[in-house]
Amino acid sequence: MINQQELWDHDAAQQYDTPGEGMFSPEVLAPTVEVLSELAGDGPAVEFAIGTGRVAIPLSGAGIQVSGIELSHAMISRLREKAGEDRIAVVQGDMCEAVAGENFSLAFLVFNTIANLLTQDEQVRCFQNAARHLAPGGRFVIELWVPQLRSLPPGHGGTVEVSRPGYLLVDTYDVLHQHVISHHVQFGPDLADGREARIGRTPHRYIWPSELDLMARLAGFELESRWADWDRSEFTEDSRSHVSVYRLTTV
């Protein structure tokens, strides 16, 4: 079993932020914050796996009261360098069980992080925990990639997802158990530690959209909206990711 504290350790937390670039770019964050702010309305929001505050900090800056749950001590420490407890309250613990409060209008779990839970049972319990946090009619938003099994050549168990100067992402699949290991290869002369290459690996359990919807129903949610991205573009059979909005119908 993967030790998530070891996976998201001090080095990972310090290297996680890429200000102004990648998932920290304004082109990514601005529509994310806009949608979440609209869905939260006048109520408070809670982020599961808040990390270093990539989304929570700008969402707080938009006037939403934000709390969070985070397993990694190192990620929380990095968040605290940018925002104090008085601004964003964070509970250290497992997002399947930890409690950050109740009667939130919005809970959200972004950037594929529900897939860090490596069993179906854990993923179902995450939905149930979201329901415990929400007021009646509250929403749970999940951002998640769509498994690219159609890209697997016959007899091969992996795909190249990203290839650009200095970075290569290769995903290897265990289709029997719905597990993926993402291999992140950074290379070139610009590595801070002077090495020629650095390899990091992150495990996931992938979830089909239909399976995610069933998990939601088991926890008392119904699907309200699904888009291909935060720009609310149409979700189609060719979409590589989705933003799904679930509304709590039972408590």
Side-chain angles (χ1 to χ4, degrees):
M1 182 65 68
I2 298 292
N3 185 316
Q4 295 289 337
Q5 287 284 8
E6 294 180 359
L7 182 63
W8 301 106
D9 60 7
H10 174 79
D11 289 344
Q14 292 302 311
Q15 297 166 10
Y16 190 80
D17 292 7
T18 56
E21 299 179 355
M23 61 180 175
F24 283 81
S25 69
E27 294 79 10
V28 173
L29 279 176
T32 304
V33 171
E34 179 182 355
V35 170
L36 293 175
S37 179
E38 178 182 314
L39 292 174
D42 296 328
V46 57
E47 180 173 6
F48 284 21
I50 195 171
T52 67
R54 179 183 72 94
V55 174
I57 291 174
L59 185 61
S60 173
I64 304 299
Q65 179 184 336
V66 184
S67 300
I69 295 172
E70 173 57 48
L71 181 63
S72 167
H73 293 284
M75 299 292 269
I76 296 174
S77 294
R78 178 71 181 109
L79 168 62
R80 284 289 165 252
E81 295 174 14
K82 300 180 286 183
E85 181 76 16
D86 57 336
R87 180 178 175 188
I88 299 176
V90 178
V91 173
Q92 191 279 324
D94 186 337
M95 62 183 169
C96 299
E97 300 174 355
V99 178
E102 58 184 12
N103 290 320
F104 290 93
S105 64
L106 176 69
F108 61 98
L109 183 51
V110 298
F111 207 68
N112 308 320
T113 313
I114 192 172
N116 289 356
L117 302 172
L118 300 181
T119 69
Q120 186 184 69
D121 181 64
E122 288 178 309
Q123 292 167 348
V124 169
R125 288 194 289 116
C126 181
F127 269 95
Q128 293 169 335
N129 196 27
R132 286 192 288 269
H133 280 78
L134 291 170
R139 295 180 174 96
F140 186 30
V141 179
I142 292 181
E143 177 187 21
L144 187 61
W145 97 100
V146 177
Q148 296 300 303
L149 296 189
R150 290 184 298 178
S151 300
L152 284 175
H156 293 266
T159 59
V160 177
E161 294 298 314
V162 178
S163 177
R164 62 173 184 258
Y167 179 70
L168 185 68
L169 170 61
V170 177
D171 282 346
T172 54
Y173 285 80
D174 173 357
V175 295
L176 180 62
H177 300 99
Q178 290 183 215
H179 283 172
V180 176
I181 295 180
S182 293
H183 307 263
H184 308 268
V185 184
Q186 296 175 292
F187 54 92
D190 297 329
L191 293 181
D193 56 12
R195 288 185 291 177
E196 293 185 0
R198 181 190 301 118
I199 300 177
R201 296 179 176 88
T202 53
H204 315 275
R205 181 187 184 271
Y206 63 81
I207 315 169
W208 298 104
S210 57
E211 183 186 10
L212 198 72
D213 293 348
L214 182 56
M215 293 179 184
R217 288 176 57 191
L218 291 173
F221 292 96
E222 65 179 10
L223 180 66
E224 183 176 77
S225 303
R226 173 167 287 141
W227 310 299
D229 207 340
W230 295 100
D231 60 4
R232 295 183 172 92
S233 53
E234 181 183 4
F235 179 77
T236 72
E237 64 179 11
D238 295 319
S239 297
R240 297 177 66 89
S241 63
H242 59 94
V243 175
S244 297
V245 182
Y246 297 99
R247 182 182 283 274
L248 184 64
T249 58
T250 61
V251 293

